[in-house]
Structure formats: C-alpha cells, structure tokens
Amino acid sequence: MNMLRRLGLAAVLLASTVTGAYAAPLKVALLVPGHANDGSFNQVAREAAEKLATDGEITFELREEMADPSKSEPVIRQYAAMGYDLIIGHGIELSEPILKIAPDFPKVHFAASGGPDLAGRLLGNVDGWTYDFGQQGYLGGFIAGKLGGVSTFGMVGGPELGFVKASHNGFKAGLKEGKPDAKVIEAYTGSFDDAQKAAEVTRGMVAQGAKLVWTSGDGIGNGVAAAASQEGALTIGVTGEAGGFAAKVNIVSVVLDMHPTYKAYVDDIKAGSFGKKFFVSGIGNKGLIMTKVNALGESLPADLDSQVEALIADLASGKKTLPNFFE
C-alpha cells in the first residue's frame, strides 16, 4: 500500500467533509501496554497523539499498562459506551480485546495492532497496523554499512521469534550492501526485558572484536548500551536514554513514527472511509525513521541523511524493493 498517496487522497476527501459530523476534534482513547515515557514503543504512540491534539485534530485520553486483557477489555468497553470516536489499541496485547468488543459498537471506530495475520481479521469498524520488522533492521544495517573503521559487528536480539529474526535478517542484508566482508556475531537473549543478559552478551561480543553492537530489542537496549559504554564499543538501535548511556554510545536508531498512521485514521473517519484497512509502517512511507545522528568516534559519511532520503524515495516509488526477511 502506498500510504503517502492514500493520505493525499484522504486529505482531498476531508476538505469537503469537515463541516459535517466531525467538524470538532475527534475524541480518542489511546491504550498502550506499558509506560508511555519508555522512550520507545509506547512513547511513540503518545507523541503521535499529542501532535494531533496540538494540531486541533483530536482530544485524547491515555491509558497505560493495558497489556492484560482482563484489565483492558472493560476499559475499552467503557470508552466505547461513552461514545468515543476512535479507540486505539497500540500493541499486539490489545488486538484480541478490540476484535472482541468492536462488533458490539458498530458506530465506534477501533484500531488494533498485530502481525501480518491481523489484516484478514479486520471488521468494518476496525483498522489494523503493524510495522515492517525486516525494514527496521535493514535501515539499521544500511547505516552500519556506511560506518568507517568497523569490520566486526555484534547483533543482540530478544526472543528468537519470527518477527525478531526478520529484523536481524534485514540488518544483515543492509550491512552486506555497504560491507560485504563484514564479520557478524549474533545472539538472542530470550527476553525483551532482560538487560543483564543483554549486557553479558554484549561484553562477550566486544571481547570477540565487535566495535559496534546493534540491538533489535527495546528493554534489552539498556543492557547493550551499558555494556558498550563499559567496554569502549558503540551501538546502533538503542532507544530512549538507556539510563544515560545512549548519549555516550548510540550513534543512531531506527524508530517508529506513528503520526502518519494516526493521521490517516482521523482523516478516514472524517471522510467516512474508515475500516478494514491495514497499515504497515515502513521506510518508504516514513513510518520508520532514522533518529538524528550522534557523532561518536567512528566516521559516517557527511551526506548520510541524503543517502537515506534517496533510499526512502526509491522504496516509495518502487525503484528499489526489499526481499521478505521472514524465514
């Protein structure tokens, strides 16, 4: 799906409908599984909603720690009964409660998150979202391949799940484009949150010669950053401040930007075209973006931003395509 082109069409449709039922800001409930100040997955959802609120598109209420369905189901049902225009479940843990409750409230709009299989389960008042895990890894590898002075790279992941492995496959593919002879040391910790295990693995990789360690995880990034700082290595992929270590070791990360997707939800509701759409955040539609480069030790080309923009343009236009990184 070319999200940017679809967004442009939605904007045209919106121009003729804003005087209708949704002339006022939409009332939105945003549920996240963790804490919305985590500097990562949960925070990007909050920041996207805040931007829409600042722009006058929505008002919203945020509910945190909604990973347990027994806790989230009554909350979702309450917001629906109160007549909220849009209820967003940001996280795979919220998809089943939303799909269960949505049929009872056909006039309320719902947005669920999940894997690719969610696309076939959407309802007339439910949109779906995921992000391209392989592309996230690929862009990290693409950047790592531009890094001077490094020939051995570490890769630290959480559980050895399909989407995590896809991210790793993407990183290796992106790295190979710039450094076909690079040595890669890869490991999985078995957990998204075990920072201590991630630190141990990172120290082992540095001992084997890795001067840069990339991480595909969220919470484990804290351990990767701490160990890299102690061992004199650099990182790519650490999100948030990581206890203050990210500023010292992390060169750049590839992060989600939920604003394009949330804006599309709002535009489609106002245009009367919401429902059964599946959004995939990727490089080409700028749902996955590169953070500002933190110049640390090793060299990156001065025109890296331009190279990444060219990559985005080529993917958006179809000039360049990436393989399916899922095994």
Side-chain angles (χ1 to χ4, degrees):
M1 177 188 299
N2 188 328
M3 186 186 294
L4 294 180
R5 184 173 62 188
R6 200 188 61 72
L7 282 172
L9 174 60
V12 172
L13 291 171
L14 174 59
S16 63
T17 59
V18 292
T19 58
Y22 297 106
L26 300 187
K27 289 178 62 178
V28 176
L30 173 62
L31 285 71
V32 299
H35 293 283
N37 63 349
D38 63 352
S40 187
F41 183 77
N42 296 281
Q43 185 167 323
V44 295
R46 188 204 79 208
E47 290 173 346
E50 286 174 344
K51 187 176 189 307
L52 286 173
T54 299
D55 292 342
E57 299 265 16
I58 68 170
T59 61
F60 78 99
E61 285 196 14
L62 173 68
R63 296 295 295 266
E64 301 174 278
E65 298 185 85
M66 291 282 110
D68 183 352
S70 67
K71 183 177 179 181
S72 66
E73 281 187 23
V75 173
I76 294 169
R77 191 171 292 277
Q78 180 182 31
Y79 279 121
M82 292 169 63
Y84 270 65
D85 299 304
L86 173 63
I87 300 171
I88 301 173
H90 182 71
I92 194 169
E93 303 92 337
L94 290 148
S95 61
E96 292 304 323
I98 282 178
L99 291 171
K100 176 181 178 181
I101 294 168
D104 297 336
F105 299 91
K107 293 184 179 181
V108 176
H109 309 88
F110 297 83
S113 306
D117 62 301
L118 179 63
R121 304 174 62 205
L122 300 176
L123 307 172
N125 61 336
V126 181
D127 271 355
W129 169 83
T130 193
Y131 70 91
D132 195 317
F133 304 94
Q135 285 194 17
Q136 185 182 41
Y138 172 85
L139 184 51
F142 177 88
I143 297 165
K146 308 295 180 182
L147 189 67
V150 180
S151 58
T152 302
F153 297 80
M155 300 174 59
V156 182
E160 199 167 352
L161 302 173
F163 65 88
V164 179
K165 292 169 69 175
S167 184
H168 283 231
N169 292 338
F171 179 85
K172 287 182 278 191
L175 177 63
K176 187 176 181 180
E177 287 190 15
K179 292 181 178 290
D181 298 323
K183 179 182 177 181
V184 174
I185 306 168
E186 183 178 15
Y188 295 88
T189 66
S191 167
F192 287 120
D193 305 310
D194 192 339
Q196 181 176 349
K197 178 66 174 179
E200 293 172 1
V201 169
T202 300
R203 283 192 285 269
M205 291 177 173
V206 176
Q208 296 177 66
K211 294 179 67 176
L212 182 135
V213 180
W214 168 82
T215 176
S216 61
D218 291 327
I220 60 172
N222 294 347
V224 172
S229 178
Q230 294 162 2
E231 302 298 328
L234 298 173
T235 67
I236 287 178
V238 173
T239 54
E241 296 181 0
F245 290 111
K248 301 175 182 178
V249 299
N250 196 62
I251 297 173
V252 70
S253 296
V254 179
V255 298
L256 284 166
D257 184 352
M258 293 306 303
H259 180 261
T261 299
Y262 289 2
K263 180 67 164 67
Y265 293 158
V266 170
D267 287 352
D268 284 354
I269 290 171
K270 292 180 177 180
S273 58
F274 184 95
K276 286 195 173 183
K277 294 187 181 70
F278 191 65
F279 297 79
V280 180
S281 294
I283 301 170
N285 57 38
K286 296 191 177 182
L288 291 171
I289 59 174
M290 181 181 75
T291 62
K292 184 178 179 181
V293 174
N294 185 17
L296 294 167
E298 306 299 342
S299 62
L300 281 167
D303 65 342
L304 178 64
D305 286 336
S306 297
Q307 291 189 42
V308 171
E309 284 300 318
L311 172 64
I312 292 170
D314 287 347
L315 289 170
S317 68
K319 182 178 179 180
K320 182 180 181 68
T321 59
L322 297 176
N324 179 9
F325 293 117
F326 281 82
E327 295 178 346

